[in-house]
């Protein structure tokens, strides 16, 4: 299938545009023109989503499961064209786009089977106790209900699995919530072809077209208008700390504040405990280098900091990581903006006193190779800037004097998506001392692995205390993410016919 983007917004089944356009900046291949989103487009899309909610929010789980499976089929029907435009826009390799497409359709199908199973409804029942003294108890039932139209901001680094039909959209549609996507300006053509697939699924399933709309960007007023629209009831966002915080603050300052589920930055520290460091420090160093440089380091779970005890074994770890990173060839970053932020972050680390450069590298235009730095725990603890995420293949080794100093580092961490332990059995006491700290800092704790590669499953938590996410009770990956778009309602003494999702 050949695909040439027409550059329009999809608003409730109609492809529309205005006068203003912006041009895409693909990593390679032709640039295309796209309609700039306007506030009136936001209003039309959200109003249509609200109208559609009165049907879609009350549709059966079978109907929604069929819709999710049909979207997956429609994406697969456009597989080659999606890979072509996706690789052009993002510079990501073909194999990565193909794998991500599988993850995207797998996620949609997982949500279909998840809602059919019904456990997510968390149905509870306290039967009536009419003879209870001193007061009778009424009949009480509880079930989770969809909240209404949801706004989704896709991620630049996952143009498929975290974008137009990605995890946020799949979770909201599964819950029964219509979705309005703010297209990411880093991959507008990929967004368009995926929106086309969703529109085709809407038609095949005979749903109201307002169930899904996508408005292209090119204008920050679009995102601001979307999160402030009175009919939007929640926002799913993956992106930068600055952008996420600005939109979160707008949500909080609305006359009716709404939840903003933002996945923001994280440095995902690894703590390499002493016995593991002595036994296999070099292997861990090589593994770290591979995880750190994968996809030009543009993963939210990129392990940017490694904490080790200073000494010979720590030196061997650093040498192995440095050699492996030195072999990594230049990779294209997702956007000019991300490449420029990478250069700024690298400069800030390099210019901090007490930081030693282990691997001199480069970031030329949009191409980047890895950097590696080292500092002491004391210096790290005194320089907050060293704890900030640098989005890209940049590693910082923090050398502690002992495991007590490692705990000080753990205690001073901001909220993280992940914290990783490298440990042997004999490291158990040191690991146990870190665990209560990690549990307060991170959404996911790993042992003897690397945090890149996030399983989409029932148990996954991709979230954590701020700034990893703006809502530490939630995850944006896995089936638990549906909870973000549901609200518990209690039904007291209502006739059974009026209680939704009654148990068979
Ligand atoms: P971004 O600049 O925050 O953009 C994300 C989206 O929000 C885009 O659609 C953007 O619109 C919009 N936006 C940003 N600021 C806005 C504002 N003030 N008002 C209205 N809309 C606004 O992030 P990015 O460049 O796509 O991604 C890079 C960053 O994402 C990295 O810094 C990384 O830390 C973070 N990230 C986090 C995760 C995670 O799961 N935690 C995953 C991947 C990336 P435009 O398209 O118009 O610019």
């Amino acid at each position: 299938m050949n695909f040439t983007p027409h550059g329009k917004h999809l608003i409730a089944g109609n492809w529309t545009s205005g006068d203003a356009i912006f041009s895409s900046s693909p990593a390679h291949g032709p640039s295309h023109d796209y309609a700039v989103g306007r506030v009136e487009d936001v209003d039309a899309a959200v109003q249509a989503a609200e109208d559609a909610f009165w049907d879609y929010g009350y549709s059966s789980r079978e109907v929604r499961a069929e819709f999710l499976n049909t979207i997956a089929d429609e994406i697969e029907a456009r597989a080659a064209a999606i890979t072509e435009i996706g690789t052009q826009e993002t510079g990501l390799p073909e194999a990565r786009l193909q794998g991500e497409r599988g993850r995207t359709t797998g996620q949609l199908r997982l949500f279909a089977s998840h809602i059919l199973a019904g456990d997510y409804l968390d149905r509870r029942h306290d039967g009536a106790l009419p003879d209870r003294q001193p007061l009778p108890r009424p009949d009480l039932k509880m079930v989770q209900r969809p909240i209404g139209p949801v706004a989704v901001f896709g991620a630049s680094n996952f143009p498929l699995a975290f974008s137009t039909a990605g995890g946020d959209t799949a979770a909201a549609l599964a819950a029964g919530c219509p979705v309005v996507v703010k297209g990411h300006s880093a991959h507008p053509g990929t967004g368009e072809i995926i929106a086309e697939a969703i529109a085709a699924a809407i038609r095949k399933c005979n749903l109201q077209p307002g169930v899904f709309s996508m408005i292209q960007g090119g204008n920050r007023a679009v995102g601001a208008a979307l999160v402030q629209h009175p009919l939007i009831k929640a926002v799913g966002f993956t992106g930068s700390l600055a952008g996420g915080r600005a939109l979160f603050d707008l949500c909080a300052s609305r006359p009716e504040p709404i939840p903003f589920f933002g996945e923001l930055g994280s440095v995902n520290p690894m703590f390499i405990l002493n016995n593991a460091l002595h036994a296999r420090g070099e292997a861990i160093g090589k593994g770290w280098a591979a995880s750190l440089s994968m996809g030009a380091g543009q993963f939210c779970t990129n392990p940017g900091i490694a904490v080790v005890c200073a000494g010979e074994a720590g030196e061997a770890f650093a040498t192995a990581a440095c050699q492996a990173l030195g072999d990594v060839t230049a990779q294209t970053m997702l956007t000019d903006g991300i490449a420029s932020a990478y250069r700024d972050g690298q400069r800030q680390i390099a210019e901090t006193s007490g930081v030693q450069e282990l691997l001199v590298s480069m970031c030329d235009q949009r191409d980047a190779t890895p950097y590696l730095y080292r500092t002491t725990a004391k210096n790290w603890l005194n320089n907050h800037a060293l704890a900030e995420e640098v989005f890209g293949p940049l590693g910082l080794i923090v050398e502690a004097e002992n495991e007590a100093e490692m705990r000080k580092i753990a205690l001073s961490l901001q909220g993280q998506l992940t914290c990783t332990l490298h440990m042997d059995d004999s490291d158990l006491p040191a690991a146990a001392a870190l665990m209560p700290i990690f549990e307060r800092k991170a959404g996911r704790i790993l042992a003897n692995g690397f945090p890149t590669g996030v399983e989409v499953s029932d148990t996954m938590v991709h979230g954590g205390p701020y700034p990893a996410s703006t809502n530490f009770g939630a995850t944006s990956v896995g089936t638990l993410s549906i909870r973000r778009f549901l609200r518990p309602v209690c039904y007291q003494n209502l006739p059974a016919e009026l209680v939704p999702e009654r148990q068979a």
Side-chain angles (χ1 to χ4, degrees), residues 22 152-158 162 182-187 216-225 227 237-247 250 260 262-266 268 298-301 334-335 337-338 341 389-392 417 462-463 467-469 476-477:
F22 70 97
V152 169
F153 289 72
S156 52
N157 62 341
F158 278 90
F162 265 95
K182 151 65 182 66
H184 201 296
S185 40
H187 54 258
Q216 297 286 8
N219 174 8
R220 288 267 157 109
V222 172
V227 303
F237 173 94
T238 304
S240 67
L241 182 55
R245 183 61 199 240
L247 295 170
L250 286 179
F260 178 85
E263 300 301 327
L264 313 177
S266 192
N268 305 295
Q298 300 166 116
F299 286 105
C300 36
T301 50
L334 291 159
T335 65
I338 287 175
E389 178 195 49
V390 179
F391 196 62
L417 291 169
H462 188 69
S469 87
S476 63
V477 176

Side-chain angles (χ1 to χ4, degrees), residues 43 77 113 151 156 167 182 187 272 289 300 319 375 389 407 453 460:
D43 193 42
S113 55
S156 52
K182 151 65 182 66
H187 54 258
I272 302 147
C300 36
T319 305
T375 192
E389 178 195 49
R407 281 197 298 282
M460 181 47 65

